Structures are given as structure tokens and as C-alpha cells.
Amino acid sequence: MSADSKPLVECRGLVKTFRLPALAAGPGSREFRAVDGLSLAVYPGETLALVGESGCGKSTTGRLLLRLEKPSAGTVTFEGRDLAALSAARLRTQRSRMQMIFQDPYGSLNPRLTVGAALAEPLRIHWRLSGKSLRERIAGLLENVGLRPEHARRYPHEFSGGQRQRIAIARAVSVNPGFVVADEPVSSLDISIQGQILKLLIELKKSLGMAMLFISHDLAVVRQISDRVAVMYRGRLVELAPAGELFSRPLHPYTRLLLSCVLAPRPGRKGAPPDIRSPEATGYRGFGCSFAGRCPLEIAACTRETPELRELYPDHYAACLVAGGKPLPDISR
Ligand SMILES: Nc1ncnc2c1ncn2[C@@H]1O[C@H](COP(=O)(O)OP(=O)(O)OP(=O)(O)O)[C@@H](O)[C@H]1O
Ligand code: SF4
Ligand SMILES: [Mg+2]
């Protein structure tokens, strides 16, 4: 992003450790890191996409950034303030500036509340609206997301999936949040509806000036909506770049595989998707590159050195010992 803007949301060294269920734990560690030392900044007004295959830690990262979960280590700041240092009351106020849109709009809407009541809740709590101003705000929100004011009297089950997602979006943006985490917001929708919802999100983002972390495993969708893209693999960032740059010049072998759609599960070691929770199964020992064993460009150093994110081109970072330059000398022989 531009050098003069300050991050809106920033995490440093973010770690989230989960305990393994007894069966998955195997003989070694009974814990695994769903998020493993992640540092990332989201700038005001931008859409940063977070991509990677299932289980790599995208949703956990989103929840940590909104402090819906506590990190095991690391910090999250919003406008420079450490969220962990806020009192419960301040955190509640802060929450109105940080909202989430979920994959399943039905699950995120209370089936017993009319749409009007669902939209009223955050407006009453955070903006203390009531009466006519509340009704007008609700009507305006419904129109902003392509619905009609009279829809406020209906219940979620009376709407289609796409309409329900519009309602969930209206609720998330109702109190003008600076930051929204949209976690696979179109994945459960028909392709024909996906485009409409993406268009709506793009329009709202522009008109409200909010920043968005857009979580998705679908690169075609990400391409349409993002300003920058962060690629995640096994709890770590492996590449971060402006969207055009990432799609035209992907540097990390994992990103390149993702883009060429050849990550379908195959038998054998290389190419088989690892179970992030099972280091024993993948041979990953907590050091070296976590993509080693699956990487077509692997060199001997990859199992010994943990690659850090390096800026290989302006604003384009990759965590790979080989990408963007000559391979490191092989010192194993
Ligand atoms: N509360 C939890 N307890 C234990 N393990 C968890 C918990 N939440 C997530 N995990 C595990 O952490 C890892 C990362 O999960 P996460 O939901 O963040 O992945 P994701 O990238 O969002 O995947 P998907 O694309 O399938 O949504 C997974 O292995 C998941 O099983
Ligand atoms: S560090 Fe090595 S194993 Fe990891 S992505 Fe780069 S080349 Fe592949
Ligand atoms: Mg997820």
C-alpha cells in the first residue's frame, strides 16, 4: 500500500495453537499451530484477500483479527491500539468498527428475528437509534443492499440464499465499520448470484470506505475483488502482493500451483495435501519450509531453513528460498 498510509488493522507474530483430539495426536506433540507466526497489515479502504486451501488457517486468522478468539501469542492492533489491552467495555465499542460476514448467511441470522429486528440490534446497541430514525436507517440499509424497506417485516427463511447474504451484509455494514472480515461470503451461493453479491460488496466498500479482509479459496473470485492478495499455507503467509502483480507474476511455488489448479490430491508424497494437524504424517518437523515435500522446486536447504517473507519486487513478498533469484547453494554434499 502507499507508504504514507498507516495500517488500520495489523497483526504481528500471530500464533493460534489448538489441542489435537486424542486420535489425531499421534505419538508426538498434542498441539498444532493453526496460525503460525503471522504478520500482516490491512490498510484503510483496501480489500486484502486471504487465500489458501482448506484448513490452512484463514478463518482462524480472521477471527483473531476481530478478537473473536484470543491469540496464543502475538498482537493485533486496530488503529494502533492493542486489542488485548482494551477493557471489556472498550472492546465492545471497538467491535462496532469491526464486523464479520460469514459463509452461511442462514446460520448467521437468527431465524426467530424479523429482518428489521436483526438490523435494529446493532443500531440500538452501538448508535442508540430508536423510533423513526431507526426505521429510516433500516429502510436505507435494505435499499443499499438491493432489498425493499417492507422486507424488514419478514423472516430469514422467506428469502433466497443471495437475499439472506444481502441481509447479513446490511447488518455488518449497518454501523459503518472501518473493517469487515468477509469469510467465504459467496462460497455457498449459486455462481449466478455470486457475481451480484461481489458487485454489492465492491460498491459498499467504495461508498463506505471500509477495509475488508476477504477470505476465499477461490482465486477467480479473489481476482475480481481484491487490491492485494495474501497467500497462506499451513498457518503461514507464503506470498503477499498487489493483486495484479500476484496474478501476473506469482513467485512462490505454492501460489503458482494454486494458480495452475494442479493442487488436486494425488497419491504419493509430492502433491498430496498435508493435514496441517498431523506433522508426523507430512514429515514436517516445525522447521524448514512447510511446503517442502510437496514443492516441485525444492532444494536440500528447504528442509533445514525456514524461509521468511522477503520483498523480492516492490510490495511483492514471498517466503521461499528459491523464488525470485538464484537457488541457495546446496550445502548438503
Ligand atoms: N476451535 C478449534 N479447535 C481445534 N481445531 C480447530 C479449531 N478451529 C480451527 N481448527 C483447526 O485449525 C485449522 C485451521 O482452521 P481454519 O478454519 O482456520 O481453516 P480455513 O483455512 O478457514 O479452512 P476452510 O477453507 O476449510 O474454511 C484446521 O485444521 C481446523 O481443523
Ligand atoms: S523454500 Fe524450498 S520447498 Fe519451500 S517453497 Fe521455496 S523451493 Fe519450495
Ligand atoms: Mg474457513
Side-chain angles (χ1 to χ4, degrees):
M1 273 328 261
S2 67
D4 52 349
S5 56
K6 286 194 183 141
L8 180 70
V9 184
E10 190 171 21
C11 65
R12 284 180 194 247
L14 205 57
V15 174
K16 183 66 185 182
T17 306
F18 289 120
R19 284 188 72 76
L20 285 170
L23 270 179
S29 166
R30 300 186 68 83
E31 294 191 328
F32 80 103
R33 288 180 164 202
V35 176
D36 190 5
L38 192 133
S39 299
L40 189 63
V42 186
Y43 290 86
E46 79 163 331
T47 297
L48 174 64
L50 188 58
V51 305
E53 63 204 348
S54 184
C56 70
K58 303 181 296 296
S59 298
T60 306
T61 301
R63 288 197 302 271
L64 290 169
L65 291 185
L66 296 181
R67 191 112 187 141
L68 298 173
E69 272 183 56
K70 274 192 187 167
S72 311
T75 56
V76 179
T77 56
F78 189 93
E79 290 171 336
R81 280 189 298 274
D82 185 347
L83 293 183
L86 296 183
S87 65
R90 289 285 303 279
L91 188 60
R92 260 197 306 280
T93 315
Q94 187 65 63
R95 284 259 157 77
S96 69
R97 307 224 45 226
M98 316 179 336
Q99 296 288 321
M100 187 139 184
I101 300 165
F102 297 92
Q103 174 173 351
D104 172 13
Y106 202 59
S108 62
L109 292 170
N110 184 339
R112 286 188 298 271
L113 290 185
T114 62
V115 166
L119 292 177
E121 208 177 30
L123 292 167
R124 279 209 186 94
I125 295 171
H126 296 298
W127 281 9
R128 304 197 186 290
L129 290 189
S130 60
K132 190 166 173 245
S133 50
L134 179 63
R135 282 195 302 278
E136 282 175 358
R137 174 77 185 156
I138 290 171
L141 280 168
L142 287 169
E143 282 175 342
N144 280 351
V145 298
L147 296 171
R148 292 195 305 278
E150 56 269 29
H151 283 141
R153 289 192 294 274
R154 299 204 197 153
Y155 288 87
H157 73 264
E158 298 178 59
F159 294 90
S160 68
Q163 286 175 318
R164 282 199 292 261
Q165 194 57 301
R166 287 176 189 273
I167 297 162
I169 291 169
R171 192 171 194 269
V173 303
S174 64
V175 285
N176 286 357
F179 179 51
V180 168
V181 173
D183 192 352
E184 307 268 9
V186 299
S187 307
S188 67
L189 305 174
D190 291 347
I191 296 278
S192 58
I193 310 293
Q194 285 190 2
Q196 296 171 15
I197 298 294
L198 284 178
K199 195 163 158 255
L200 173 65
L201 282 172
I202 292 167
E203 281 166 13
L204 285 175
K205 196 208 87 163
K206 264 195 211 143
S207 62
L208 302 176
M210 63 191 186
M212 181 156 59
L213 184 76
F214 186 90
I215 296 176
S216 179
H217 62 272
D218 186 339
L219 288 165
V221 163
V222 161
R223 197 171 201 149
Q224 295 177 55
I225 197 166
S226 52
D227 299 309
R228 287 191 305 151
V229 182
V231 183
M232 205 172 168
Y233 183 75
R234 293 187 64 150
R236 293 187 186 175
L237 276 196
V238 296
E239 188 155 2
L240 174 67
E245 167 81 8
L246 186 111
F247 284 104
S248 63
R249 181 163 52 179
L251 293 175
H252 196 281
Y254 176 65
T255 312
R256 286 154 69 177
L257 285 170
L258 267 186
L259 286 172
S260 63
C261 300
V262 294
L263 275 177
R266 280 184 280 141
R269 194 155 171 260
K270 290 210 175 189
D275 179 353
I276 183 178
R277 300 169 309 168
S278 170
E280 292 79 16
T282 59
Y284 182 59
R285 289 165 294 173
F287 58 90
C289 176
S290 58
F291 197 47
R294 202 184 172 195
C295 177
L297 298 186
E298 183 177 339
I299 56 174
C302 300
T303 51
R304 289 192 302 268
E305 285 181 44
T306 305
E308 300 295 332
L309 273 184
R310 292 180 295 142
E311 190 173 13
L312 298 172
Y313 294 94
D315 296 328
H316 191 161
Y317 300 79
C320 171
L321 300 178
V322 172
K326 281 196 217 152
L328 289 181
D330 183 353
I331 50 168
S332 65
R333 280 171 250 152

PDB file of all heavy atoms in Angstrom, residues 128-143:
ATOM      1  N   ARG A 128     -27.466   3.759  19.452  1.00  0.00           N
ATOM      2  CA  ARG A 128     -28.605   4.137  20.300  1.00  0.00           C
ATOM      3  C   ARG A 128     -29.752   4.747  19.481  1.00  0.00           C
ATOM      4  O   ARG A 128     -30.400   5.716  19.889  1.00  0.00           O
ATOM      5  CB  ARG A 128     -28.179   5.110  21.399  1.00  0.00           C
ATOM      6  CG  ARG A 128     -27.045   4.559  22.243  1.00  0.00           C
ATOM      7  CD  ARG A 128     -26.872   5.282  23.542  1.00  0.00           C
ATOM      8  NE  ARG A 128     -25.694   4.817  24.250  1.00  0.00           N
ATOM      9  CZ  ARG A 128     -25.542   3.633  24.819  1.00  0.00           C
ATOM     10  NH1 ARG A 128     -26.525   2.760  24.798  1.00  0.00           N
ATOM     11  NH2 ARG A 128     -24.424   3.293  25.404  1.00  0.00           N
ATOM     12  N   LEU A 129     -29.996   4.202  18.311  1.00  0.00           N
ATOM     13  CA  LEU A 129     -31.111   4.680  17.489  1.00  0.00           C
ATOM     14  C   LEU A 129     -32.413   4.058  17.980  1.00  0.00           C
ATOM     15  O   LEU A 129     -32.436   2.934  18.486  1.00  0.00           O
ATOM     16  CB  LEU A 129     -30.909   4.296  16.016  1.00  0.00           C
ATOM     17  CG  LEU A 129     -29.798   4.995  15.225  1.00  0.00           C
ATOM     18  CD1 LEU A 129     -29.905   4.635  13.752  1.00  0.00           C
ATOM     19  CD2 LEU A 129     -29.845   6.496  15.401  1.00  0.00           C
ATOM     20  N   SER A 130     -33.509   4.770  17.799  1.00  0.00           N
ATOM     21  CA  SER A 130     -34.825   4.206  18.120  1.00  0.00           C
ATOM     22  C   SER A 130     -35.868   4.960  17.294  1.00  0.00           C
ATOM     23  O   SER A 130     -35.560   5.961  16.633  1.00  0.00           O
ATOM     24  CB  SER A 130     -35.125   4.334  19.623  1.00  0.00           C
ATOM     25  OG  SER A 130     -35.120   5.704  19.968  1.00  0.00           O
ATOM     26  N   GLY A 131     -37.097   4.446  17.351  1.00  0.00           N
ATOM     27  CA  GLY A 131     -38.219   5.137  16.705  1.00  0.00           C
ATOM     28  C   GLY A 131     -38.021   5.353  15.224  1.00  0.00           C
ATOM     29  O   GLY A 131     -37.522   4.488  14.502  1.00  0.00           O
ATOM     30  N   LYS A 132     -38.365   6.574  14.800  1.00  0.00           N
ATOM     31  CA  LYS A 132     -38.374   6.886  13.364  1.00  0.00           C
ATOM     32  C   LYS A 132     -36.962   6.808  12.758  1.00  0.00           C
ATOM     33  O   LYS A 132     -36.770   6.271  11.658  1.00  0.00           O
ATOM     34  CB  LYS A 132     -38.936   8.302  13.179  1.00  0.00           C
ATOM     35  CG  LYS A 132     -39.215   8.658  11.750  1.00  0.00           C
ATOM     36  CD  LYS A 132     -40.075   9.930  11.657  1.00  0.00           C
ATOM     37  CE  LYS A 132     -40.190  10.374  10.217  1.00  0.00           C
ATOM     38  NZ  LYS A 132     -39.569  11.664   9.975  1.00  0.00           N
ATOM     39  N   SER A 133     -35.955   7.329  13.482  1.00  0.00           N
ATOM     40  CA  SER A 133     -34.603   7.324  12.902  1.00  0.00           C
ATOM     41  C   SER A 133     -34.104   5.887  12.715  1.00  0.00           C
ATOM     42  O   SER A 133     -33.391   5.590  11.747  1.00  0.00           O
ATOM     43  CB  SER A 133     -33.629   8.142  13.755  1.00  0.00           C
ATOM     44  OG  SER A 133     -33.717   7.760  15.095  1.00  0.00           O
ATOM     45  N   LEU A 134     -34.507   4.999  13.638  1.00  0.00           N
ATOM     46  CA  LEU A 134     -34.124   3.588  13.497  1.00  0.00           C
ATOM     47  C   LEU A 134     -34.802   2.979  12.266  1.00  0.00           C
ATOM     48  O   LEU A 134     -34.156   2.334  11.440  1.00  0.00           O
ATOM     49  CB  LEU A 134     -34.512   2.810  14.767  1.00  0.00           C
ATOM     50  CG  LEU A 134     -34.210   1.319  14.771  1.00  0.00           C
ATOM     51  CD1 LEU A 134     -32.707   1.055  14.664  1.00  0.00           C
ATOM     52  CD2 LEU A 134     -34.742   0.654  16.052  1.00  0.00           C
ATOM     53  N   ARG A 135     -36.097   3.240  12.124  1.00  0.00           N
ATOM     54  CA  ARG A 135     -36.837   2.679  10.969  1.00  0.00           C
ATOM     55  C   ARG A 135     -36.283   3.211   9.650  1.00  0.00           C
ATOM     56  O   ARG A 135     -36.134   2.482   8.681  1.00  0.00           O
ATOM     57  CB  ARG A 135     -38.333   3.019  11.094  1.00  0.00           C
ATOM     58  CG  ARG A 135     -39.074   2.117  12.093  1.00  0.00           C
ATOM     59  CD  ARG A 135     -40.578   2.246  11.915  1.00  0.00           C
ATOM     60  NE  ARG A 135     -41.061   3.615  12.072  1.00  0.00           N
ATOM     61  CZ  ARG A 135     -41.311   4.204  13.249  1.00  0.00           C
ATOM     62  NH1 ARG A 135     -41.126   3.541  14.369  1.00  0.00           N
ATOM     63  NH2 ARG A 135     -41.767   5.454  13.303  1.00  0.00           N
ATOM     64  N   GLU A 136     -35.941   4.481   9.653  1.00  0.00           N
ATOM     65  CA  GLU A 136     -35.400   5.070   8.410  1.00  0.00           C
ATOM     66  C   GLU A 136     -34.028   4.487   8.064  1.00  0.00           C
ATOM     67  O   GLU A 136     -33.728   4.215   6.901  1.00  0.00           O
ATOM     68  CB  GLU A 136     -35.288   6.595   8.559  1.00  0.00           C
ATOM     69  CG  GLU A 136     -36.632   7.280   8.393  1.00  0.00           C
ATOM     70  CD  GLU A 136     -36.562   8.779   8.653  1.00  0.00           C
ATOM     71  OE1 GLU A 136     -35.472   9.296   9.002  1.00  0.00           O
ATOM     72  OE2 GLU A 136     -37.619   9.418   8.538  1.00  0.00           O
ATOM     73  N   ARG A 137     -33.229   4.293   9.091  1.00  0.00           N
ATOM     74  CA  ARG A 137     -31.895   3.717   8.851  1.00  0.00           C
ATOM     75  C   ARG A 137     -32.036   2.289   8.299  1.00  0.00           C
ATOM     76  O   ARG A 137     -31.335   1.903   7.361  1.00  0.00           O
ATOM     77  CB  ARG A 137     -31.096   3.720  10.164  1.00  0.00           C
ATOM     78  CG  ARG A 137     -29.754   3.029  10.094  1.00  0.00           C
ATOM     79  CD  ARG A 137     -28.691   3.870   9.408  1.00  0.00           C
ATOM     80  NE  ARG A 137     -27.458   3.117   9.253  1.00  0.00           N
ATOM     81  CZ  ARG A 137     -26.538   3.360   8.333  1.00  0.00           C
ATOM     82  NH1 ARG A 137     -26.687   4.343   7.477  1.00  0.00           N
ATOM     83  NH2 ARG A 137     -25.444   2.640   8.253  1.00  0.00           N
ATOM     84  N   ILE A 138     -32.960   1.524   8.876  1.00  0.00           N
ATOM     85  CA  ILE A 138     -33.166   0.142   8.417  1.00  0.00           C
ATOM     86  C   ILE A 138     -33.653   0.136   6.966  1.00  0.00           C
ATOM     87  O   ILE A 138     -33.150  -0.632   6.125  1.00  0.00           O
ATOM     88  CB  ILE A 138     -34.164  -0.596   9.350  1.00  0.00           C
ATOM     89  CG1 ILE A 138     -33.500  -0.830  10.711  1.00  0.00           C
ATOM     90  CG2 ILE A 138     -34.619  -1.920   8.736  1.00  0.00           C
ATOM     91  CD1 ILE A 138     -34.433  -1.340  11.777  1.00  0.00           C
ATOM     92  N   ALA A 139     -34.581   1.016   6.654  1.00  0.00           N
ATOM     93  CA  ALA A 139     -35.087   1.090   5.276  1.00  0.00           C
ATOM     94  C   ALA A 139     -33.946   1.449   4.315  1.00  0.00           C
ATOM     95  O   ALA A 139     -33.800   0.857   3.238  1.00  0.00           O
ATOM     96  CB  ALA A 139     -36.209   2.126   5.190  1.00  0.00           C
ATOM     97  N   GLY A 140     -33.124   2.406   4.730  1.00  0.00           N
ATOM     98  CA  GLY A 140     -31.993   2.830   3.891  1.00  0.00           C
ATOM     99  C   GLY A 140     -31.002   1.692   3.674  1.00  0.00           C
ATOM    100  O   GLY A 140     -30.500   1.487   2.565  1.00  0.00           O
ATOM    101  N   LEU A 141     -30.746   0.938   4.751  1.00  0.00           N
ATOM    102  CA  LEU A 141     -29.793  -0.180   4.646  1.00  0.00           C
ATOM    103  C   LEU A 141     -30.314  -1.231   3.670  1.00  0.00           C
ATOM    104  O   LEU A 141     -29.568  -1.751   2.838  1.00  0.00           O
ATOM    105  CB  LEU A 141     -29.596  -0.839   6.016  1.00  0.00           C
ATOM    106  CG  LEU A 141     -28.641  -0.144   6.972  1.00  0.00           C
ATOM    107  CD1 LEU A 141     -28.772  -0.730   8.362  1.00  0.00           C
ATOM    108  CD2 LEU A 141     -27.201  -0.277   6.465  1.00  0.00           C
ATOM    109  N   LEU A 142     -31.613  -1.540   3.774  1.00  0.00           N
ATOM    110  CA  LEU A 142     -32.191  -2.562   2.891  1.00  0.00           C
ATOM    111  C   LEU A 142     -32.097  -2.107   1.435  1.00  0.00           C
ATOM    112  O   LEU A 142     -31.761  -2.896   0.551  1.00  0.00           O
ATOM    113  CB  LEU A 142     -33.636  -2.862   3.294  1.00  0.00           C
ATOM    114  CG  LEU A 142     -33.764  -3.673   4.587  1.00  0.00           C
ATOM    115  CD1 LEU A 142     -35.210  -3.716   5.081  1.00  0.00           C
ATOM    116  CD2 LEU A 142     -33.246  -5.095   4.394  1.00  0.00           C
ATOM    117  N   GLU A 143     -32.364  -0.840   1.199  1.00  0.00           N
ATOM    118  CA  GLU A 143     -32.260  -0.331  -0.176  1.00  0.00           C
ATOM    119  C   GLU A 143     -30.811  -0.356  -0.664  1.00  0.00           C
ATOM    120  O   GLU A 143     -30.544  -0.710  -1.816  1.00  0.00           O
ATOM    121  CB  GLU A 143     -32.849   1.085  -0.263  1.00  0.00           C
ATOM    122  CG  GLU A 143     -34.363   1.014  -0.296  1.00  0.00           C
ATOM    123  CD  GLU A 143     -35.046   2.373  -0.258  1.00  0.00           C
ATOM    124  OE1 GLU A 143     -34.394   3.358   0.130  1.00  0.00           O
ATOM    125  OE2 GLU A 143     -36.232   2.423  -0.622  1.00  0.00           O
TER     126      GLU A 143
END
